[in-house]
Amino acid sequence: MFDTHELGRRPGAMQRLSRTVDAPRDLGIAGVIAVPEGAPVEIELRLESVMEGVLVTGTARASAEGECVRCLESVELELDADFQEMFSYPDSDDRGRSKAAADDEAEDDEDMIPLEDGMFDLEPVLRDAVVLALPMQPVCREDCEGLCSECGINLNDNPDHHHDAVDARWAALQGLAGSLGTDEKDNMSGAATGVDEEQEK
């Protein structure tokens, strides 16, 4: 929770805050990449008093950990997440006027989060900002080759690794060719040569 009492309600007033907090649970994309629970998150905030409430602009910095989607190696990512949120005064409408003085046509802005006794909770805003800043498919490096689809070997460690592709449609003929003896192969090639000579005549 952050306190806005020192800022005051005079429009134009500004306050800067820096704080390091422990990362809440599940700060990130579950099963993909996230900031570990309890890890330090550095937060820099600028609080601005406006007619409607307090405009909070900030940056969160933390280290996220996950797994490369190509080679399954560990990934660590330094994260900078920017965010901005408006926290409204509970006794003001969307035009900064007192609710008691608001006319019937005025509607409260649903996007604003109300301040509670001058305090605001940054966790939901921080969580949204971090999730948006994280990659949906983290990689250990941009040119990661991943794993071999045949045997699972890491292609980054074995760049020349390959398998001879065998077309299943030719498998029977390859088996037949392998079963022929050398003499039979020579006889077949000789017969084929004889046929060619006869065709030339």
Side-chain angles (χ1 to χ4, degrees):
M1 296 294 283
F2 289 82
D3 193 346
T4 66
H5 287 102
E6 287 186 22
L7 178 67
R9 291 185 60 162
R10 183 173 55 84
M14 187 179 74
Q15 181 182 14
R16 292 186 182 274
L17 298 174
S18 294
R19 191 180 296 180
T20 300
V21 299
D22 293 338
R25 186 177 170 195
D26 299 328
L27 184 60
I29 305 167
V32 180
I33 189 166
V35 179
E37 183 178 0
V41 179
E42 297 176 11
I43 298 175
E44 293 183 7
L45 297 177
R46 185 180 69 196
L47 280 57
E48 297 175 79
S49 180
V50 294
M51 291 293 291
E52 300 90 347
V54 177
L55 179 64
V56 177
T57 306
T59 301
R61 294 182 180 88
S63 293
E65 297 175 2
E67 196 175 74
C68 177
V69 296
R70 295 181 189 165
C71 68
L72 307 181
E73 292 293 325
S74 297
V75 173
E76 187 167 327
L77 174 68
E78 293 303 315
L79 174 71
D80 275 15
D82 297 325
F83 54 88
Q84 187 174 67
E85 189 65 54
M86 173 68 81
F87 294 89
S88 64
Y89 297 126
D91 59 346
S92 297
D93 70 359
D94 62 338
R95 298 176 187 170
R97 298 174 301 174
S98 168
K99 283 187 179 179
D103 56 32
D104 294 337
E105 295 178 3
E107 295 180 1
D108 293 333
D109 191 343
E110 295 179 0
D111 294 334
M112 290 191 202
I113 304 171
L115 290 166
E116 297 179 10
D117 194 25
M119 308 281 284
F120 65 89
D121 183 8
L122 197 61
E123 183 177 328
V125 177
L126 179 64
R127 191 177 298 280
D128 290 346
V130 167
V131 169
L132 289 173
L134 288 171
M136 295 296 291
Q137 296 186 324
V139 290
C140 57
R141 63 178 199 248
E142 289 301 319
D143 61 345
C144 176
E145 295 294 330
L147 303 177
C148 173
S149 60
E150 297 279 333
C151 63
I153 195 169
N154 192 328
L155 298 176
N156 296 310
D157 300 332
N158 302 275
D160 297 328
H161 174 78
H162 71 282
H163 295 272
D164 293 328
V166 177
D167 191 327
R169 295 170 295 183
W170 295 101
L173 290 175
Q174 286 182 334
L176 179 62
S179 67
L180 292 174
T182 306
D183 293 338
E184 291 176 330
K185 287 182 182 178
D186 291 341
N187 291 340
M188 288 180 66
S189 62
T193 304
V195 170
D196 291 341
E197 289 174 354
E198 288 178 6
Q199 286 178 350
E200 289 176 4
K201 292 177 182 178

